[in-house]
Amino acid sequence: MYGLAIVHCGPRRGSEKHGPGDGNRGPPGFGPRPHGPKNQWETKVCANASIAEAFLEQTRQLITDLQANGTYDKVLEKRQNEINYINNANNTGVLSSNCTQFFTGLNAARTLDRQAQEQEWSIQRTAGRLFFQIIQSLVGGKAQDSSEGDA
């Protein structure tokens, strides 16, 4: 009897969680994604210079704390553009002089991270299909739904 190796290639597109309560607010990440209308929280941060400064200081401190704990290495690796943007000293001035532009840049950095993650998922899916093709070429058959169990 033959066993079928199941290769998990990451979540299906659109099935990944996006933060507490889920929703389609962008890529999952450690960066702020509060509930509410899109960009509403950014508008509130930008409306008060003290809050904007506290946002940046506390976010940078959180990044430093997470970097000190090896448990978060893989998560941080997948958010490298976002981290670099937040930690870039030049962006401190952007936040205080043009807060909206700061968040536009932050969202662009997150988009780059999301695109890299999507490319990684695509590569993982391709690898999974290639592994399955080996099994299929040896024993034949169609792709089996993992909920059906082994044959």
Side-chain angles (χ1 to χ4, degrees):
M1 184 175 272
Y2 295 101
L4 179 63
I6 305 289
V7 179
H8 177 66
C9 297
R12 291 181 184 190
R13 184 179 202 118
S15 68
E16 59 273 1
K17 290 281 192 177
H18 295 284
D22 198 11
N24 294 316
R25 292 189 232 316
F30 63 88
R33 293 288 175 169
H35 298 289
K38 186 176 180 178
N39 301 330
Q40 181 180 28
W41 69 271
E42 295 170 3
T43 301
K44 289 181 178 183
V45 168
C46 289
N48 184 313
S50 296
I51 292 175
E53 184 178 321
F55 161 78
L56 191 57
E57 288 175 11
Q58 291 177 26
T59 302
R60 286 177 174 169
Q61 184 59 54
L62 176 60
I63 290 168
T64 300
D65 294 347
L66 294 175
Q67 288 172 330
N69 183 340
T71 301
Y72 296 97
D73 287 350
K74 289 195 182 280
V75 172
L76 297 173
E77 182 180 296
K78 294 177 187 307
R79 307 286 180 260
Q80 201 56 57
N81 289 299
E82 182 177 2
I83 291 168
N84 290 343
Y85 186 85
I86 290 168
N87 284 334
N88 184 328
N90 293 329
N91 291 329
T92 303
V94 173
L95 181 62
S96 54
S97 67
N98 188 345
C99 190
T100 302
Q101 182 58 43
F102 174 86
F103 283 107
T104 298
L106 179 58
N107 289 329
R110 287 178 172 154
T111 296
L112 291 173
D113 288 333
R114 184 182 66 246
Q115 289 170 343
Q117 184 65 43
E118 288 172 355
Q119 181 178 16
E120 182 179 325
W121 290 338
S122 175
I123 291 168
Q124 289 176 0
R125 285 189 301 273
T126 299
R129 282 192 300 272
L130 293 171
F131 279 112
F132 178 76
Q133 286 175 1
I134 292 170
I135 294 167
Q136 190 176 33
S137 72
L138 295 172
V139 299
K142 298 179 183 178
Q144 179 180 9
D145 184 331
S146 61
S147 65
E148 294 176 13
D150 290 338

